[in-house]
Amino acid sequence: MTGLVFLEQVDEGGIGRVIMELQTEADGSFNLCPVPEGDFDVVAAAKDNSGVTYNATVTLGVSAGAAIGEIPMVPETGDSTEPGTIEGEVSTQDTGSNPSTAEISLFPLQDVSGDGSMLMTIPTFGESTLLFTTVPHNETDGPTCTDTTGTNCFNYTLMVPASDPQVGTFSGAETSYAPANDTEIVEYQVLAEAFVPETEGATPNCDPSFLIADEDNETPTPNTLAVIAGTPVTAELLAFVLCEIDPAP
C-alpha cells in the first residue's frame, strides 16, 4: 500500500494549504525534509493494490524536525471501499463577458474542527483533475459549458475518500486519534483558485482569485457536498467572471 502525504499550514481563512506533498514508499514510510520552521498539519490517505481506499488521517500541530512515528490508516468498509466522486464545472470569462482562459487548481476540503473553522485539503485518488486550463466549448470533443457562448470552461472529476477523517493532535509516538464518524454521507467543499497565465509586461488577474463550491442541500448540513461512496455528486458551477490580463502600466 502506498499513500499520499500532505504537509499543510492553515491560512487566515481556516483552510489547510499544502506546503509539501509526496508519495510514500511501498512500506508506507516517508520523509518530509527539509521543511521551514514552524508547526504543520500532516494529512495522509491511501489506496492499496486491490483498490481498497483508506480514509484520511490528520495529525495536527507537528513541529518541524519532529519524528511523527506511525500514522494509523483505517480501510474504508462496506460501500466505502469505492471512493467518493465529485463532479463539476469551472467557467471563465473577462470583464466584457467574453470567453477567457485561466489556469485552475482544485482542492477538496473536509472539516476537522467540527464547526467548520478548520478545513484541511484532502489527498485524492486515481484520475482526479486537480490542475487544468479552461478551454472553448466544442460540441465534438471539448467540454460541455453551461454557457456555450460567453465562457471557456472545463468539466472536472475528483476521487476522494468516502469517509470522514480521523484526527489527532501530535504528541510524539503517543499521538492518539479520534475515530472517524461512521456515517454513509460525508461532507466536502471544493476550493478552486484561478490564475490568468502571465505574459510579458502584463499582470495576471482573476477577481475573485478563488471560489469554494458546495451544494445547496440539507443533508447532512446546508452548503456542503454530500459525498456517498460509489455515487457521483455534482458541485455547483464555479464561475470566474473577471479573468483577463491587465495591460502593462
Side-chain angles (χ1 to χ4, degrees), residues 45-132:
K47 183 177 182 181
D48 66 21
N49 292 333
S50 66
V52 174
T53 56
Y54 291 71
N55 65 327
T57 298
V58 179
T59 311
L60 302 172
V62 182
S63 299
I68 195 171
E70 184 174 316
I71 298 176
M73 303 298 297
V74 179
E76 299 182 298
T77 59
D79 291 338
S80 292
T81 53
E82 294 186 56
T85 303
I86 300 171
E87 298 175 343
E89 176 190 341
V90 177
S91 67
T92 52
Q93 62 181 199
D94 63 18
T95 55
S97 298
N98 301 305
S100 176
T101 296
E103 295 177 357
I104 308 295
S105 298
L106 295 181
F107 307 89
L109 307 174
Q110 280 188 299
D111 177 27
V112 300
S113 61
D115 59 8
S117 62
M118 184 183 295
L119 299 169
M120 305 307 295
T121 301
I122 303 299
T124 58
F125 305 123
E127 301 300 320
S128 295
T129 320
L130 295 170
L131 179 65
F132 53 86

Side-chain angles (χ1 to χ4, degrees), residues 48-229:
D48 66 21
N49 292 333
S50 66
V52 174
T53 56
Y54 291 71
N55 65 327
T57 298
V58 179
T59 311
L60 302 172
V62 182
S63 299
I68 195 171
E70 184 174 316
I71 298 176
M73 303 298 297
V74 179
E76 299 182 298
T77 59
D79 291 338
S80 292
T81 53
E82 294 186 56
T85 303
I86 300 171
E87 298 175 343
E89 176 190 341
V90 177
S91 67
T92 52
Q93 62 181 199
D94 63 18
T95 55
S97 298
N98 301 305
S100 176
T101 296
E103 295 177 357
I104 308 295
S105 298
L106 295 181
F107 307 89
L109 307 174
Q110 280 188 299
D111 177 27
V112 300
S113 61
D115 59 8
S117 62
M118 184 183 295
L119 299 169
M120 305 307 295
T121 301
I122 303 299
T124 58
F125 305 123
E127 301 300 320
S128 295
T129 320
L130 295 170
L131 179 65
F132 53 86
T133 300
T134 55
V135 295
H137 169 79
N138 185 311
E139 293 183 357
T140 57
D141 58 4
T144 302
C145 296
T146 300
D147 181 351
T148 60
T149 58
T151 64
N152 285 355
C153 69
F154 198 93
N155 303 128
Y156 67 84
T157 299
L158 301 175
M159 309 294 289
V160 295
S163 58
D164 288 324
Q166 59 174 355
V167 183
T169 299
F170 178 68
S171 59
E174 303 300 321
T175 301
S176 60
Y177 296 85
N181 295 326
D182 184 13
T183 177
E184 180 184 7
I185 301 173
V186 296
E187 301 177 42
Y188 275 89
Q189 292 178 311
V190 176
L191 169 67
E193 293 185 331
F195 177 81
V196 177
E198 186 173 4
T199 58
E200 185 176 356
T203 302
N205 180 48
C206 229
D207 186 15
S209 60
F210 71 92
L211 293 169
I212 295 182
D214 50 31
E215 180 186 32
D216 186 14
N217 66 80
E218 298 297 330
T219 306
T221 58
N223 301 320
T224 59
L225 286 158
V227 172
I228 302 174

